[in-house]
Each structure stands twice: as structure tokens, then as C-alpha cells.
Amino acid sequence: LAHETFNLYACAFDGEAARTRSFPSELDDEDPATGSAAGPLLAYLHERVGTERLDVTQGVEIGRPSRLHAEMDGDRARVSGDVVVLITGTVTLPG
């Protein structure tokens, strides 16, 4: 592989809500809101302990607090929350 990356997603779950932190290896900074991780976290908790919905708080420690809401919809986890657009652009994939 030309680029190997990983994402450390730390979580504390109290039975109703989660406090998370996300450290992507390709960034120099912490991610304040990671919807692409909140969904899989809920899917994992749903499978293990039956959690149907989850409020995820993230970014507090870096001064950019966020709250994501994840909810099971059948066998899929759906994630929602308010966002602030920081950057826009276009990606062209080869092929």
C-alpha cells in the first residue's frame, strides 16, 4: 500500500451516551466530530448490548464541542447532527 493510515477512536460509554475522541493518523490534530465512526460505534453497541440510540459528544477537549446522534434503523445505523462546513472541493477518482 502506498499510504497506510489508521484512526484511533477512543470511547467511554455509560449505557446511554458516549464521550469520544478521534485521532486520525493522517492529521496533525484531533477530529472534533467523526460521524463515520459514530455509526459503527452504535452498530457495535447494538450487537453487544442492544443499544438502539446513542448521543455522542466529541471535540470538547480541543475547544470544538460537537454532538452527534446515532440511531438504529432496522439493521443500519443512521447518524445525524449539525455541522459547520470547513472546506469544500471536488475529488476526481481514476478509472
Side-chain angles (χ1 to χ4, degrees):
L1 294 171
H3 302 282
E4 291 187 26
T5 64
F6 68 91
N7 187 38
L8 174 62
Y9 189 64
C11 169
F13 174 63
D14 69 4
E16 296 179 8
R19 181 76 172 262
T20 63
R21 296 186 75 179
S22 180
F23 302 94
S25 65
E26 70 275 4
L27 298 178
D28 291 333
D29 209 355
E30 186 174 339
D31 187 348
T34 314
S36 61
L41 173 61
L42 175 60
Y44 174 84
L45 292 171
H46 178 72
E47 179 71 24
R48 299 301 186 274
V49 295
T51 304
E52 289 288 326
R53 57 187 57 86
L54 181 66
D55 286 321
V56 178
T57 301
Q58 186 176 325
V60 175
E61 292 79 6
I62 60 171
R64 294 176 60 196
S66 68
R67 173 148 307 173
L68 299 169
H69 179 73
E71 189 167 339
M72 292 303 297
D73 180 10
D75 63 348
R76 298 183 65 147
R78 303 280 183 190
V79 178
S80 61
D82 294 328
V83 300
V84 175
V85 177
L86 297 178
I87 189 170
T88 62
T90 303
V91 175
T92 304
L93 299 175

